[in-house]
Amino acid sequence: MNIRSESGQTPANPGWLQRAPRIPTLALFAVVALALLGTFALILATVNAERTQREQASRTSGIIATLDDIVRATMSGETGQRGYFITSDTRYLAPYRVGETDYAAGMARLRRQMGENLPADQAQLLAGISRLGDAKWAEMSGVVALVAQRRIPDAHARMLSDEGQLAMQGLRKSVAELESIEQVKLDRAVFAAATAEARIVPSLTALFVVIVCALALGLWQAVRKAEAEAIAEGATAVAEARDRADLLAKELNHRVKNLFAVILAIVRMSARGDAAAAPAVDRIAKRIHALVTAHEVTQGAGQDQTVDFADLVGKVIAPYRSSSERCELSGGPLVLPGRHAVPLGLVLHELVTNAVKYGAWSQPGGLLRVTWESGAGHARVLWEEIGTQPCEARPEPGREGFGSALIRSSERQLNGKITRSFGDQGIVVEMAFPLEGEAG
């Protein structure tokens, strides 16, 4: 028995979910993990760049401040030396003594700030600053000593020499070059930090997008899994319902066969001992056997089997057909899928029953004509009743009987079209349906 959903459609096959592309959870995790690691590495590089910038800024500002202290100390010493030379007053030696102390402390601090393993150009500049500074202070110390010895002409001659001026000029030049080198280093560190910071915002934005996409894909997979489980549960329920329906159908068929057997036994018992009734009982028994055969045919032959339409229509009509009922059956070979046997058998059984009750076979001399043909994967069956009197049996407007409901249901199962028309001589029914593909 062919079980279908209430809409006449077979349950949806959840195989599309299995065939749909799947994104493994591990792959999603790997993508998110790589994005997090990349962002972490970028943040770490930015932090290191900013730390380097701060360290370089601290180093550069300290070195420049120390160089300024060295130059100012030397200039202060030079001012004190000139005042002492002019006035011979020892009070003018105070700036000289302070500058001398500050110079020595500044040079010691500069060496600590510059550190070891200096580049060649910076090491050369540091040595030049130390040498030129020492030379300047040696010149000033000599002038102060000559003034203290009252050797003013010798002190004046030494001051007018280029020794101190050249040393001071060289000191200023070396200090400016060293400051320039440190400033370049600071600018590079600032640029590196700014570049690293500029990459942070796009990186965080990309990470946010990756995480959102991963969450969306994860949610999509969860929903798809839930749908697949729901469809699987629905398919299981449909399969269970189909099994129950098959069991009920088998039980019903068994009971119908038993009922036919009981009727046949009653008919034969009623004629027992009556020789005159034997021929009539034999004809009735044959009709009952034909009904049993028609009932078995209309129960279908299985989804994977086929049914010959000529055999199907012949067995359905056989119980009602006799020498007094005219019938014409014609058509070429028409092999039906097994799933078509039930809806077609039920429609044919309903039509022949109506023909006996109300149609062509309810009148003497009435004719029933059934023709069929097939081609291009479709079949067409024409049922015509030609009575000897005008047909009075017409459906009431606005009312649908069992026969109409049966035909409408069979249309869906056949995935075809069944049309009825009522003429003066009887009903004409045309059935058209595909032979291939799924039934509706």
Side-chain angles (χ1 to χ4, degrees):
M1 190 170 185
N2 197 11
I3 303 299
R4 301 184 182 277
S5 63
E6 295 181 357
S7 62
Q9 300 292 330
T10 55
N13 185 0
W16 68 271
L17 288 172
Q18 298 176 356
R19 293 191 298 269
R22 292 175 178 257
I23 302 177
T25 304
L26 184 60
L28 291 177
F29 176 78
V31 170
V32 175
L34 289 175
L36 288 173
L37 289 175
T39 304
F40 176 75
L42 187 58
I43 292 175
L44 185 61
T46 303
V47 171
N48 289 333
E50 291 179 347
R51 181 186 297 112
T52 301
Q53 175 195 353
R54 290 193 299 271
E55 292 175 353
Q56 185 62 44
S58 176
R59 169 190 168 89
T60 300
S61 61
I63 291 175
I64 291 176
T66 301
L67 291 172
D68 289 342
D69 291 342
I70 290 173
V71 173
R72 282 197 301 269
T74 303
M75 293 176 64
S76 178
E78 189 178 34
T79 301
Q81 174 229 3
R82 291 180 183 276
Y84 180 63
F85 169 76
I86 295 172
T87 63
S88 296
D89 188 348
T90 56
R91 288 179 298 178
Y92 286 96
L93 290 178
Y96 172 82
R97 301 301 181 191
V98 173
E100 187 178 26
T101 303
D102 291 344
Y103 169 77
M107 287 302 302
R109 186 167 65 252
L110 179 62
R111 292 189 180 93
R112 289 195 304 271
Q113 291 173 337
M114 296 294 292
E116 303 293 337
N117 300 322
L118 291 174
D121 55 345
Q122 289 183 303
Q124 184 177 359
L125 286 174
L126 179 60
I129 290 172
S130 178
R131 175 175 54 78
L132 292 170
D134 291 346
K136 177 62 179 177
W137 279 98
E139 181 266 338
M140 291 189 294
S141 177
V143 171
V144 169
L146 290 173
V147 172
Q149 296 171 7
R150 304 299 179 183
R151 297 168 56 185
I152 302 302
D154 294 336
H156 185 260
R158 187 163 187 179
M159 286 184 65
L160 293 178
S161 67
D162 294 334
E163 178 185 355
Q165 184 179 4
L166 293 174
M168 192 63 186
Q169 289 177 350
L171 177 62
R172 291 178 182 275
K173 181 179 179 181
S174 297
V175 166
E177 290 180 0
L178 186 56
E179 288 179 347
S180 176
I181 291 175
E182 289 298 322
Q183 188 61 47
V184 169
K185 287 186 175 181
L186 178 59
D187 292 341
R188 289 176 180 173
V190 170
F191 177 77
T195 302
E197 289 177 355
R199 290 195 298 264
I200 282 293
V201 173
S203 176
L204 292 178
T205 302
L207 176 62
F208 175 77
V209 171
V210 169
I211 292 176
V212 169
C213 292
L215 291 176
L217 290 174
L219 178 61
W220 175 67
Q221 282 193 339
V223 171
R224 189 176 63 176
K225 182 178 180 182
E227 290 178 350
E229 291 176 352
I231 291 176
E233 292 177 359
T236 302
V238 170
E240 293 176 355
R242 182 186 295 113
D243 292 339
R244 289 195 298 269
D246 288 341
L247 181 61
L248 291 174
K250 290 178 181 178
E251 178 63 21
L252 179 61
N253 291 337
H254 178 68
R255 291 182 182 273
V256 169
K257 289 180 180 179
N258 289 341
L259 181 59
F260 278 127
V262 170
I263 293 173
L264 183 59
I266 292 174
V267 170
R268 285 177 175 172
M269 288 174 61
S270 300
R272 187 177 299 170
D274 190 349
V281 170
D282 186 60
R283 288 194 300 271
I284 294 173
K286 289 182 179 179
R287 295 255 177 140
I288 293 174
H289 278 298
L291 281 173
V292 173
T293 302
H295 171 75
E296 291 177 349
V297 170
T298 58
Q299 297 310 303
Q303 293 290 320
D304 299 328
Q305 300 179 15
T306 58
V307 176
D308 183 75
F309 180 77
D311 182 57
L312 176 64
V313 69
K315 288 181 177 179
V316 170
I317 293 176
Y320 310 95
R321 187 177 182 181
S322 65
S323 58
S324 61
E325 285 83 21
R326 295 192 300 156
C327 180
E328 296 180 1
L329 304 178
S330 63
L334 177 55
V335 179
L336 305 174
R339 62 178 175 272
H340 284 356
V342 171
L344 272 178
L346 292 177
V347 171
L348 292 173
H349 189 275
E350 181 66 18
L351 291 176
V352 72
T353 302
N354 287 337
V356 172
K357 289 182 179 181
Y358 316 109
W361 280 359
S362 67
Q363 306 169 12
L367 172 64
L368 172 62
R369 180 184 296 127
V370 183
T371 58
W372 61 88
E373 61 182 0
S374 63
H378 286 73
R380 179 179 176 271
V381 177
L382 184 63
W383 177 286
E384 296 179 278
E385 297 182 23
I386 303 173
T388 57
Q389 300 175 10
C391 179
E392 300 294 337
R394 297 174 182 270
E396 298 180 10
R399 180 181 177 185
E400 184 182 69
F402 174 77
S404 299
L406 177 65
I407 289 176
R408 185 162 47 82
S409 175
S410 299
E411 273 186 328
R412 292 195 299 267
Q413 296 187 57
L414 292 171
N415 196 24
K417 186 69 175 176
I418 301 178
T419 57
R420 294 180 296 171
S421 60
F422 295 87
D424 294 337
Q425 292 183 311
I427 189 173
V428 177
V429 180
E430 183 176 357
M431 294 174 277
F433 50 89
L435 297 175
E436 301 177 355
E438 291 292 336

